[in-house]
Amino acid sequence: MTSHEIENINAFIDRMTKVTVRIVKADSAGNLIGMASGFLYQPDKDYLPIVITAGHITPDKRCFIETRISKDGQTLSLNAGEFKVFYNYDNIDYAYSHLPPDFIRRDIKNNEDVEMATYRHKFVKAKKNEEYGFAVWNNHEFIKAGDSFLLPRYCCYEISLRLVQQNENVNHFKTSRQIQDHEYYRGASGSPVADPEGAITGILIGGTDPIKYLRVFRLDNVDLPSNKI
């Protein structure tokens, strides 16, 4: 692999980790009960951004977008609104939420250091002669270290994914390296999958069982409603 190819790979991973957001889920008492991934979609600046993620891991309420800002020793998380969840255990697996207006007026304006990248392009249909990939800073399991617990972070990614099967709602991709086990991808569900130019085709929803291919829900066939700000 040439230095130029390595540079392009690193640039793609950097771009996708900036587009991908971490979504934390809490119970009614405010306790963390899980993590997922997603991204913000805003086809036009006059419309509310939409949070898009996987449906199988998303409750309709009490989800928050994790930022890279730390306040009082804790990571700043912002309200993700109320999700509409679409999941049928088979080939429908996505959820979306329009960011509530108070998120725009209050949460972002009161935290000027918050950078929220939004995707503003069309979703593309995956093709067999193209390569795709995703990348997210992932952390899904606490590790005990002495008397405390750590949540180590690692970059979960795949590059050079190749389409092997496509139906109306789901794409199956073959990885360019030996496919990882389910634990590696846990917490990455909902990550946007894009071509080398960053055009998004869908979101990661898991692997086949046994794990041979990665399953990606297609967004090019979904009509997402838009709400004006």
Side-chain angles (χ1 to χ4, degrees), residues 7 13 17 23 28 42 58 94-96 100-101 103 106 109 111 116 147 149 152 176 184 189 217:
E7 183 178 327
I13 291 175
T17 55
I23 299 173
S28 58
Q42 189 179 22
T58 308
Y94 74 105
Y96 71 86
F103 177 99
R106 181 192 65 207
K109 288 185 178 180
N111 297 281
M116 306 296 290
D147 295 330
F149 288 87
S176 60
Y184 175 78
S189 289
F217 182 77

Side-chain angles (χ1 to χ4, degrees), residues 25-66:
K25 299 172 288 181
D27 60 20
S28 58
N31 300 311
L32 177 67
I33 59 173
M35 291 188 175
S37 302
F39 69 101
L40 302 184
Y41 173 55
Q42 189 179 22
D44 188 280
K45 63 181 178 61
D46 294 328
Y47 289 87
L48 290 172
I50 301 174
V51 189
I52 300 176
T53 185
H56 70 274
I57 38 74
T58 308
D60 58 350
K61 297 179 181 178
R62 293 189 295 274
C63 287
F64 301 86
I65 299 171
E66 194 177 69

Side-chain angles (χ1 to χ4, degrees), residues 141-152:
E141 186 174 0
F142 286 96
I143 295 178
K144 187 171 179 58
D147 295 330
S148 61
F149 288 87
L150 301 176
L151 192 59

Side-chain angles (χ1 to χ4, degrees), residues 125-132 161-164 173 196:
K125 180 180 179 180
K127 300 178 181 178
K128 286 195 173 182
N129 62 346
E130 185 63 271
E131 294 184 347
Y132 300 86
L161 293 173
R162 293 281 187 174
L163 180 67
V164 294
F173 286 97

Side-chain angles (χ1 to χ4, degrees), residues 6 11 21 34 37 49 66 73 78-79 109 132 136 141 146 153 159 172 186 189 194 197 202 205 209 212 220 225:
I6 294 174
V21 298
S37 302
E66 194 177 69
L78 307 176
N79 181 13
K109 288 185 178 180
Y132 300 86
V136 57
E141 186 174 0
R153 196 171 74 144
I159 57 172
H172 289 73
R186 192 155 66 91
S189 289
E197 303 303 319
I205 56 174
D209 191 15
K212 183 178 180 181
D220 58 295

Side-chain angles (χ1 to χ4, degrees), residues 17 35 45 57 62 66 71 108 124 137 174 178 194 203 228:
T17 55
M35 291 188 175
K45 63 181 178 61
I57 38 74
R62 293 189 295 274
E66 194 177 69
K71 284 195 171 185
I108 290 184
V124 298
W137 283 109
K174 181 178 181 180
Q178 181 177 354
I203 51 172
K228 281 195 172 183

